[in-house]
Amino acid sequence: MLKAFQILVRRFVLVASVAAALSACGQRGPLYLPSSAAVPAVTPAPATPVPSSVAP
C-alpha cells in the first residue's frame, strides 16, 4: 500500500512540475523597459578627500 501512495505522490509532483514549467508565468510579448526607465542614470561626482590640515 505504501508503494502505491509513493507512486501517486511522485506522479502528482511530476504533473505539477510540468504544468508550472509550461505556464511560464503567463507573460506574452517581448520584454521591454518602460519609456520612463530608458533615461540613463546620473552618476554622482567622486568624493574629494579633506586635507589633513583642515580636519579637527
Side-chain angles (χ1 to χ4, degrees), residues 16-43:
S17 300
V18 169
L22 291 177
S23 69
C25 80
Q27 297 295 327
R28 295 184 184 188
L31 297 178
Y32 67 94
L33 289 174
S35 60
S36 62
V39 178
V42 177
T43 56

Side-chain angles (χ1 to χ4, degrees), residues 49-56:
V50 177
S52 60
S53 62
V54 178

Side-chain angles (χ1 to χ4, degrees), residues 1-13:
M1 184 66 186
L2 183 61
K3 188 136 180 128
F5 180 72
Q6 288 177 341
I7 292 172
L8 184 63
V9 169
R10 286 182 183 172
R11 274 201 186 158
F12 176 76
V13 169

